Amino acid sequence: MSLGHSLLGLLEQGPSHGYDLKRAYDRHFGNDRSLHYGQVYTTLSRLLRNGLVEEAGVEAGEGPERKRYAITDAGVTDVDQWLHTPEKPEQYLQNTLYSKVVLALLSKRSATEVLDVQRAAHLDTMRQLTRRKLSGDLADQLICDHALFHLEADLRWLELTAARLDELAREMKP
């Protein structure tokens, strides 16, 4: 996800300080990985330099002065273009797991064990996500569903590959 576009989108709600932007970002998007303040201020500096945000005043606080930032018309246009640009669907054609299966076969190791270990890891992650989904709000449920659907697709691939290991091993022989 583009941090700059996310901050711009949050600024469309109204001018804000970097501290408040970080809190809003963490609340909406940072479930597993919150932002560092340095990331926010570095990104705001870049957006300011590129004319996508502007300073909207400075307020004295208990600590250092706090700058408020507001999105510019160019920033609104940039967010709109970003929102309407589709994300490139991942094709996963160069997958590490596939490489492990092939290398296990080439080295006469058990590719079945490689697949079994991965299947167990996927199932464990799916259980964790399902527990999280049950106790989360709607946004968390949707995030978990997205991850679960990808893991389900991976599991289908693991099963298909396990069923075709002998055929793959035969094709790999010189």
Side-chain angles (χ1 to χ4, degrees):
M1 173 168 54
S2 166
L3 176 56
H5 287 112
S6 298
L7 295 180
L8 286 172
L10 291 171
L11 282 170
E12 280 192 295
Q13 308 306 305
S16 187
H17 303 99
Y19 175 81
D20 293 331
L21 285 170
K22 182 230 183 296
R23 286 188 24 217
Y25 180 94
D26 288 351
R27 185 177 65 239
H28 294 294
F29 311 115
N31 289 327
D32 294 324
R33 188 175 45 184
S34 62
L35 283 179
H36 297 284
Y37 287 104
Q39 291 175 282
V40 173
Y41 291 107
T42 300
T43 303
L44 285 170
S45 292
R46 182 178 44 79
L47 295 171
L48 185 64
R49 184 179 65 243
N50 293 339
L52 302 175
V53 299
E54 60 190 6
E55 287 186 22
V58 178
E59 297 174 4
E62 294 176 17
E65 292 182 335
R66 296 179 5 156
K67 293 180 187 175
R68 290 176 60 87
Y69 295 90
I71 191 168
T72 63
D73 289 342
V76 171
T77 300
D78 196 60
V79 170
D80 190 58
Q81 289 173 346
W82 177 68
L83 289 173
H84 291 93
T85 301
E87 292 297 308
K88 182 179 182 230
E90 295 294 329
Q91 295 182 15
Y92 303 105
L93 295 177
Q94 291 297 325
N95 184 289
T96 303
L97 183 54
Y98 173 76
S99 298
K100 287 182 176 186
V101 169
V102 169
L103 291 172
L105 290 172
L106 290 173
S107 65
K108 307 288 191 244
R109 291 182 175 96
S110 174
T112 299
E113 287 180 24
V114 170
L115 293 171
D116 288 344
V117 167
Q118 191 64 50
R119 184 181 301 107
H122 270 62
L123 290 171
D124 184 55
T125 300
M126 290 175 82
R127 281 190 287 276
Q128 292 172 28
L129 286 168
T130 300
R131 281 192 298 272
R132 177 176 161 180
K133 179 180 160 179
L134 293 174
S135 63
D137 60 11
L138 181 58
D140 209 35
Q141 291 171 17
L142 290 170
I143 290 167
C144 289
D145 281 338
H146 186 263
L148 284 164
F149 291 148
H150 282 275
L151 289 167
E152 287 175 10
D154 287 348
L155 281 175
R156 287 195 316 267
W157 181 85
L158 289 167
E159 295 302 321
L160 177 66
T161 302
R164 298 168 86 181
L165 276 178
D166 292 337
E167 182 183 350
L168 181 59
R170 281 192 304 275
E171 285 188 11
M172 297 175 74
K173 288 185 181 179

